[in-house]
């Protein structure tokens, strides 16, 4: 994790190279002058007041306990799902051909999905990783990775 100044980015790269050389993969904080281990306590206090954690269904992965937020009771009057009945709660429907959950979890490379480049393309995406150009499947598709 780094700041946005050139020196921060270069230090972040240096930390990553050090981890690669040691055969490690860890979260490291290069931005210690502003980001502390305890985080921003004022922001955390506001988040705890405004939101409560809830189980969340993640496209391609399924439900993960305590991974989502919804407005707390105190702020429920500002909740669009309450104000405009029927705008939320629609479960996403995944294609049985799509293995995006395995791609998102790093258990499958995009081009190992049977639908990749056939039924699933950037023009007709079946799963989240093919929807935007930043997605793993879309990147593989664009840059023609074969391995």
């Amino acid at each position: 994790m780094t700041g946005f100044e050139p020196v921060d980015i270069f230090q972040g790269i240096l930390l990553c190279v050090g981890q690669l050389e040691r055969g490690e993969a860890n979260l490291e904080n290069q931005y210690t002058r502003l980001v502390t281990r305890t985080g921003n306590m004022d922001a955390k206090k506001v988040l705890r007041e405004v939101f409560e954690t809830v189980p969340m269904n993640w496209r391609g992965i399924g439900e993960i306990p305590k991974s989502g937020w919804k407005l707390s009771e105190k702020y429920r009057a500002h909740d669009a799902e309450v104000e405009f009945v029927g705008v939320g709660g629609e479960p996403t429907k995944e294609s049985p051909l799509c293995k995006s959950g395995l791609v998102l979890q790093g258990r499958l490379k995009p081009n190992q999905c049977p639908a990749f480049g056939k039924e699933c393309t950037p023009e007709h995406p079946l799963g989240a990783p093919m929807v935007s150009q930043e997605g793993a499947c879309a990147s593989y598709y664009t840059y023609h990775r074969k391995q």
Side-chain angles (χ1 to χ4, degrees), residues 42-52 69:
D42 291 334
K44 286 181 172 183
K45 181 180 175 190
V46 170
L47 289 172
R48 280 191 302 272
E49 176 187 337
V50 175
F51 296 101
E52 57 187 66
W69 279 344

Side-chain angles (χ1 to χ4, degrees), residues 2-96:
T2 75
F4 298 101
E5 298 295 324
V7 69
D8 296 320
I9 294 169
F10 285 125
Q11 274 188 320
I13 292 169
L14 181 63
L15 291 173
C16 288
V17 169
Q19 284 189 26
L20 282 170
E21 289 177 343
R22 294 188 302 275
E24 298 174 356
N26 301 304
L27 175 63
E28 258 183 290
N29 180 11
Q30 174 281 331
Y31 204 35
T32 56
R33 70 178 184 273
L34 289 179
V35 178
T36 65
R37 185 154 184 80
T38 57
N40 182 328
M41 300 309 285
D42 291 334
K44 286 181 172 183
K45 181 180 175 190
V46 170
L47 289 172
R48 280 191 302 272
E49 176 187 337
V50 175
F51 296 101
E52 57 187 66
T53 57
V54 295
M56 184 65 64
N57 192 7
W58 295 92
R59 186 173 177 189
I61 296 175
E63 185 175 284
I64 300 175
K66 298 182 181 178
S67 66
W69 279 344
K70 73 174 188 176
L71 289 173
S72 65
E73 191 62 43
K74 180 177 178 181
Y75 293 92
R76 198 65 39 90
H78 304 287
D79 192 336
E81 288 185 7
V82 173
E83 180 69 23
F84 308 104
V85 177
V87 297
E90 281 294 315
T92 58
K93 293 178 178 57
E94 299 293 330
S95 167

